[in-house]
Amino acid sequence: MGRKIVIPGQFLSDDEKYAGMGTYVKNGKVYSLLYGILNDKNKLTVVPFSGKYIPSRRDLIIGTVILITPSNWIFEIGSPYDGLLHVSEYPRRVESSKMRSIMDVGDSAILRIKDVNTNMKVELTLRERGLGPINDGRIIEIMPMKVPRVIGHSGSMISMLTKETNCEIFIGQNGRIWIKGKDGDMDDLAKAIDLIVRESHVPGLTEKVFQFLENRRDVERELEPDGSLENELDAQTVDKNEEMPDETSRKIDMLLDTADD
Amino acid sequence: MSNKPEKFIDENGLRLDGRRVDEMRPMTMEIGVLSRADGSCYLEWGKNKVLAGVFGPRELHPRRMQRANVALIRYRYNMAAFSVEDRARPGPNRRSTEISKVSSEAFTPVIMTELYPSAVIDVLAEVLQADAGTRTAAINAATIALAEAGIPMKSLIAACAIGKVDGQLVVDLNKDEDNYGEADLPIAFTQDGDITLLQMDGNLTQDELKEAIGMAQKACEQIFELQREVLLNRFGKPDEIEQLAEETEPEPEVEFDEETTDEEVASELQEDEEEAPSEEDIPEEENDDDVDEELGGEKDEQ
């Protein structure tokens, strides 16, 4: 029968061995803890419709500096708990007095959560390839629950978005998305992400977002007819070649969607 | 001054507003009315109009209020100055402070506060129009707002007041019954029938109290039904929900995929400047395998 909406306290099962994330056991019976969608593939899990990001070890996130102490940058990471980045976790040695010139209050960075202790003290690190301050592009904020939707099945959505908009995309687990590309492309991408968040429950979402981006590009082409016809044809053929792996991933997506029924 | 009616219940057994003794006032709820709150609910219950908003879990200031192991539930019950006939003096007073405290305690047993140590969950209940039973109305609205905010709760909470007028127990008092009645007994229940709030104003015998609790539980069953309806129909009627069931995938395996995807993306950032190291191939291969497995599995099912 698949998945359905459940509410807190709703009875789910008589067998406590099915209890998964978002459920609790009372007197050997399983009940829901959250308002969200029930997923009963292996165990019973409830995925909430909303909620705050709760930091967990090894997550990649995007944070913003809110305070600088003599030895720490303190980051706001979209959760009830702030993150601490010790100067020793910066890739180079940094003098306490130079901290501001590297990252000042209001700057953002892509960070890895090194550790979270029981008091929810969040330790961050930048000592890893791919991490570092963000100096260009834009940051979009979405609900952390929607992150899997923007990534898609095995990354199908994110690879389609990257191809279609020619933007670089990084999705933090805390629901912050960093994008970089041409201004127009970033506008399109931002709108596409907005569409994903709003219609995340619609089947065949990747296809729909693909169509949305296609349409937008058509509109843009009509608006600026300066590119010669040949160039356009060339661009289209190139596009088609590039789309091949993309097409496959979308097919996979649709297959998965139908299989879910 | 006294506008006390001569009789609260007429010869047909009907009350001043035409209700039977065990009949609640009509209740309507609307979910997600505040765009900047994490969860919100607007509730009308007879002439009561209540707006509840939930913010958090978020960082708690002042820090001395923080609890090292659990989240604090900071419930603020407030009556708008215009909510009653004679302007209410704005700001907290003895009555609203008390109601805030007991309402917070009504939710504490069901909210999984241990998941958010030292944080706070702010519940703001604003009474826009009052006509007796505002604390119970606020609790009913707050439950919906908490659920919408994605706060883990073991149960919903419903609350209803039982009163005594003309020597007879009645459900859900209105203003006159509250002002001139003999007793007022607001009770809040979990879905299991556990009581999380019970206050009493006036006098009841032991037997009456037992009967009143039974009546309140019946009324709360009706409220649970309404709350369930509001939550389940939020995205459309049940037949459309089948479609909605397509949503969300995060199982452990898929989450693993996402992680590796993220790593890939993160490393992409640097790819322009640096050469891709060989480790990077490993997660990619794993990814492909997973796709094949998943596909194979799904096909078998079909």
Side-chain angles (χ1 to χ4, degrees):
Chain A
M1 69 153 250
R3 284 160 282 174
K4 58 172 186 176
I5 296 184
V6 292
I7 58 171
Q10 186 167 333
F11 170 77
L12 300 179
S13 166
D14 278 321
D15 197 340
E16 61 180 290
K17 72 169 184 279
Y18 292 118
M21 293 271 287
T23 67
Y24 73 100
V25 177
K26 189 180 165 189
N27 298 332
K29 291 178 178 168
V30 185
Y31 300 87
S32 171
L33 263 182
L34 294 159
Y35 173 41
I37 298 270
L38 176 69
N39 192 334
D40 59 1
K41 265 193 182 159
N42 309 314
K43 281 192 159 190
L44 291 166
T45 55
V46 179
V47 182
F49 287 124
S50 59
K52 285 279 159 70
Y53 169 70
I54 299 303
S56 70
R57 230 165 75 83
R58 304 278 307 144
D59 273 3
L60 281 164
I61 55 165
I62 295 175
T64 306
V65 180
I66 50 168
L67 195 68
I68 298 171
T69 69
S71 60
N72 283 289
W73 284 279
I74 298 179
F75 281 84
E76 193 278 310
I77 55 172
S79 106
Y81 311 102
D82 290 334
L84 284 133
L85 177 72
H86 194 259
V87 269
S88 64
E89 293 297 338
Y90 193 79
R92 295 186 275 111
R93 205 186 127 67
V94 181
E95 286 289 326
S96 200
S97 53
K98 300 270 166 56
M99 283 172 73
R100 268 177 205 281
S101 61
I102 290 166
M103 280 184 285
D104 206 347
V105 172
D107 290 352
S108 295
I110 296 175
L111 305 141
R112 166 85 74 187
I113 296 181
K114 193 180 150 212
D115 197 18
V116 182
N117 72 8
T118 46
N119 296 325
M120 297 310 267
K121 182 183 167 202
V122 182
E123 290 179 64
L124 305 166
T125 182
L126 279 178
R127 294 183 89 105
E128 213 172 300
R129 229 171 49 84
L131 307 181
I134 296 171
N135 302 314
D136 45 12
R138 296 181 196 170
I139 294 174
I140 301 171
E141 208 160 337
I142 63 166
M143 273 198 286
M145 276 75 219
K146 305 286 185 189
V147 164
R149 291 282 94 183
V150 181
I151 292 170
H153 292 287
S154 318
S156 60
M157 179 72 85
I158 188 171
S159 56
M160 186 274 285
L161 290 173
T162 313
K163 286 257 165 57
E164 291 302 314
T165 60
N166 299 315
C167 287
E168 276 183 64
I169 308 173
F170 169 82
I171 305 176
Q173 290 294 317
N174 61 343
R176 291 195 184 151
I177 304 175
W178 173 78
I179 59 174
K180 185 187 157 194
K182 288 201 204 102
D183 269 345
D185 290 339
M186 285 199 285
D187 289 343
D188 288 353
L189 182 52
K191 290 207 174 86
I193 290 171
D194 191 44
L195 181 78
I196 295 168
V197 171
R198 266 187 293 115
E199 310 213 352
S200 58
H201 54 278
V202 179
L205 183 62
T206 318
E207 181 62 30
K208 192 163 181 179
V209 176
F210 175 72
Q211 291 301 337
F212 169 79
L213 286 170
E214 283 287 281
N215 290 342
R216 284 195 69 83
R217 210 175 323 156
D218 289 346
V219 171
E220 274 160 33
R221 235 177 249 150
E222 278 164 33
L223 285 177
E224 36 180 298
D226 49 340
S228 74
L229 201 70
E230 284 163 78
N231 277 347
E232 227 176 271
L233 278 174
D234 275 355
Q236 271 176 352
T237 41
V238 170
D239 263 8
K240 257 177 203 157
N241 287 335
E242 276 180 1
E243 268 166 35
M244 277 314 288
D246 210 42
E247 212 113 25
T248 358
S249 63
R250 264 185 292 125
K251 272 179 195 150
I252 292 166
D253 220 30
M254 281 169 73
L255 256 172
L256 285 168
D257 273 340
T258 44
D260 286 346
D261 291 338
Chain B
M1 176 220 152
S2 184
N3 300 319
K4 183 176 180 198
E6 274 181 25
K7 271 169 99 183
F8 285 103
I9 301 173
D10 68 12
E11 50 282 358
N12 301 321
L14 294 179
R15 294 199 255 162
L16 295 170
D17 48 12
R19 284 184 289 157
R20 283 174 278 108
V21 290
D22 59 349
E23 192 178 344
M24 273 185 354
R25 288 172 285 184
M27 186 191 286
T28 57
M29 281 178 267
E30 201 177 325
I31 186 170
V33 288
L34 302 174
S35 59
R36 302 195 59 179
D38 295 308
S40 59
C41 175
Y42 173 70
L43 177 142
E44 287 190 14
W45 194 5
K47 286 184 208 156
N48 285 316
K49 294 177 182 173
V50 179
L51 190 57
V54 170
F55 297 81
R58 61 183 177 184
E59 203 180 344
L60 173 55
H61 290 292
R63 288 180 70 94
R64 66 185 145 78
M65 284 172 72
Q66 291 186 357
R67 297 277 164 272
N69 305 315
V70 293
L72 184 75
I73 298 161
R74 188 160 54 181
Y75 191 107
R76 178 175 174 269
Y77 167 96
N78 185 48
M79 284 180 94
F82 50 81
S83 62
V84 277
E85 276 170 33
D86 291 321
R87 176 176 182 276
R89 193 166 188 278
N93 52 35
R94 198 218 101 251
R95 177 176 170 274
S96 74
T97 311
E98 174 194 306
I99 292 174
S100 300
K101 180 179 181 289
V102 293
S103 302
S104 154
E105 285 166 4
F107 284 104
T108 310
V110 293
I111 295 178
M112 300 286 283
T113 50
E114 58 271 31
L115 296 179
Y116 307 105
S118 70
V120 64
I121 298 165
D122 273 310
V123 184
L124 311 183
E126 206 70 24
V127 177
L128 306 177
Q129 186 173 299
D131 190 63
T134 50
R135 80 192 68 188
T136 52
I139 287 171
N140 292 330
T143 304
I144 300 293
L146 282 162
E148 197 212 343
I151 310 282
M153 289 193 285
K154 289 180 183 161
S155 168
L156 298 176
I157 297 285
C160 184
I162 304 294
K164 186 177 165 191
V165 290
D166 292 351
Q168 162 89 46
L169 291 176
V170 294
V171 169
D172 185 23
L173 301 171
N174 64 30
K175 187 137 218 158
D176 283 335
E177 291 168 341
D178 188 21
N179 286 352
Y180 309 110
E182 294 147 54
D184 177 16
L185 180 82
I187 313 180
F189 284 96
T190 68
Q191 278 156 300
D192 293 338
D194 293 335
I195 294 171
T196 63
L197 176 145
L198 190 146
Q199 293 181 290
M200 186 162 80
D201 182 10
N203 298 307
L204 290 176
T205 65
Q206 253 185 46
D207 289 339
E208 280 172 336
L209 181 67
K210 275 185 194 145
E211 197 192 335
I213 291 172
M215 288 168 79
Q217 194 163 11
K218 251 190 211 159
C220 286
E221 288 301 326
Q222 293 175 39
I223 297 169
F224 281 132
E225 200 46 55
L226 290 166
Q227 288 174 335
R228 215 167 285 150
E229 226 168 83
V230 168
L231 290 171
L232 295 183
N233 294 346
R234 178 169 181 210
F235 302 99
K237 294 280 172 226
D239 46 327
E240 296 163 43
I241 287 170
E242 280 302 303
Q243 265 200 333
L244 203 141
E246 298 283 336
E247 199 183 343
T248 43
E249 202 60 357
E251 289 159 65
E253 320 150 45
V254 182
E255 259 166 31
F256 176 70
D257 283 355
E258 282 148 18
E259 255 174 52
T260 45
T261 318
D262 265 4
E263 276 163 37
E264 278 168 42
V265 179
S267 47
E268 264 174 37
L269 303 180
Q270 299 279 313
E271 253 174 2
D272 296 9
E273 294 116 301
E274 294 172 39
E275 274 189 22
S278 55
E279 345 164 311
E280 225 194 333
D281 298 332
I282 300 160
E284 262 178 30
E285 271 170 30
E286 275 173 13
N287 247 348
D288 290 345
D289 287 348
D290 280 354
V291 173
D292 290 343
E293 270 169 37
E294 264 179 56
L295 262 181
E298 301 295 345
K299 270 175 197 159
D300 288 347
E301 274 174 37
Q302 284 180 337

